[in-house]
Amino acid sequence: MNDTELDRLLDTWEAPAPPPSMREGLRVRCPRAKRRRFPRPLRWVLVIAAATATLAIGMEQNGENSWDFRLLRVLNRLYEGFMQGLEARQAASIKARIRQSEPKVYVDGQLVAPLEYGPAGRMDVQVPGEGAYSIISYPGLAGWVEAGHFHGNAIEFQAGSKQVRIECNKPIVDSDRPVFARRRP
Amino acid sequence: MGKAPEHDLHDARRGKEAALLRLFDDHHLPLFRYAWRLTGSTADAEDIVQECFLALLRPDCSFDPARTAIRTYLFGAVRNQSLNRLRRREQGVAAESTDHRTPETEALRGETAEAVANAIAGLPEAQREVLLLAHYEQLSLAEIAEIMQLEVTAVKSRLQRARATLRETLAAYAPRTERTI
């Protein structure tokens, strides 16, 4: 018996596929990180809200009402800027994961042109018969509407009368989140 | 998601479940096959592989990404756990029968595959481990040497001996090639 013949013989002994429960079993046994009492963004919200309230009360007591509104507005802008920065960072991270996961775009089940990547967390999809659509993973921008959701290794959303599904070969989000879309002019 | 294994491990140790599952997705198949071939039990193989991934998260885990590739480390961990279980089984601590020897699975298995499984099971432990890693998991001699903490030359010689023994044991099952004179 030569080497090739022995190799062929050895190959007849095949291992079974791992049970589907194996991954789920690991997930269940995985120790959870101790959850913070408040998620990090919420903690910042609470800190800013407390600071604002303290200052507002202090100024009310001092009779300096003219400063009250201005300070509140500045604090409010600071907070909004902070939250938008956080969301943009998350969106960019999701986009980076998608780029590395060989995404395939399906419109009503038909494979179409690949995704195009815009600035920050934006991605563009050519939807035959409906035109070009941009998608992003965070709200708060004018003209963008919630059109579907990210879940696991896929993104699904409605573009006019068409259903768009983007499939990646790896998970891109840890938990479901909405997707916001806008038809490009 | 394209992250280096050490980054995933770092995230997994900080409680990020998705990072651990990425490591699992990348490595579990060959580890499961190896554990199954060593223990002969699907349930044991499943448990061993899960346990090895969970062990990576423990503070006393000895894995050092600067010294060892994660794949090599995991194969070593699976090997140690499998051998411990086999020894416990031999001592009667957990008297389970191996899956590939139950009548139900034997009936499903082809005669040749059964003969190969038995021939491999009959090899000395050190030769069997080398053969499983080299032939079935296609690991290099250097990787096997690292896993088994041997010299490459020792691995090579064990592999040659294992194959020579199998050639003899399985001679009756050799494919018959018609030769023209």
Side-chain angles (χ1 to χ4, degrees), chain A residues 1 3 5 7 9-13 15-16 19 21-23 25-27 29 32 97 100 170-171 174, chain B residues 1 17-18 25 29 32 36-37 46-47 50-51 54 109 112-113 116-117 135-136 163 167 173 177:
Chain A
M1 196 185 328
D3 275 344
E5 287 168 342
D7 286 342
L9 208 50
L10 294 178
D11 287 342
T12 59
W13 185 35
S21 60
M22 195 159 105
R23 192 177 196 270
L26 177 69
R27 206 185 62 74
R29 291 172 72 182
R32 299 284 181 282
R97 289 180 197 170
Q100 292 163 3
K170 289 179 185 172
D174 298 335
Chain B
M1 284 177 228
E17 184 184 286
D25 290 342
L29 267 177
F32 174 81
W36 181 82
R37 286 195 167 101
E46 178 178 3
D47 195 43
Q50 285 176 348
E51 189 50 45
L54 292 172
R109 185 187 295 276
T112 312
V116 171
H135 178 80
Y136 290 102
R163 289 179 68 88
R167 237 180 228 117
Y173 295 89
T177 319

Side-chain angles (χ1 to χ4, degrees), chain A residues 84 98 141:
Chain A
Q84 277 177 7
I98 293 169
L141 300 172

Side-chain angles (χ1 to χ4, degrees), chain B residues 26-97:
Chain B
D26 288 346
H27 298 285
H28 77 282
L29 267 177
L31 296 172
F32 174 81
R33 286 195 303 256
Y34 180 49
W36 181 82
R37 286 195 167 101
L38 278 176
T39 62
S41 159
T42 304
D44 276 352
E46 178 178 3
D47 195 43
I48 286 167
V49 172
Q50 285 176 348
E51 189 50 45
C52 289
F53 280 100
L54 292 172
L56 277 174
L57 307 182
R58 297 197 183 109
D60 58 349
C61 173
S62 60
F63 172 61
D64 177 2
R67 282 180 22 213
T68 318
I70 193 162
R71 177 171 102 128
T72 311
Y73 176 84
L74 285 168
F75 266 108
V78 165
R79 171 182 179 255
N80 291 339
Q81 290 231 8
S82 302
L83 296 182
N84 284 342
R85 279 187 197 224
L86 287 175
R87 281 182 195 127
R88 280 208 302 271
R89 208 185 276 167
E90 279 164 12
Q91 290 162 5
V93 177
E96 297 170 43
S97 66

Side-chain angles (χ1 to χ4, degrees), chain A residues 146-162:
Chain A
E146 185 173 337
H149 55 277
F150 291 84
H151 66 101
N153 64 340
I155 309 163
E156 287 181 323
F157 67 95
Q158 195 71 31
S161 62
K162 312 272 185 176

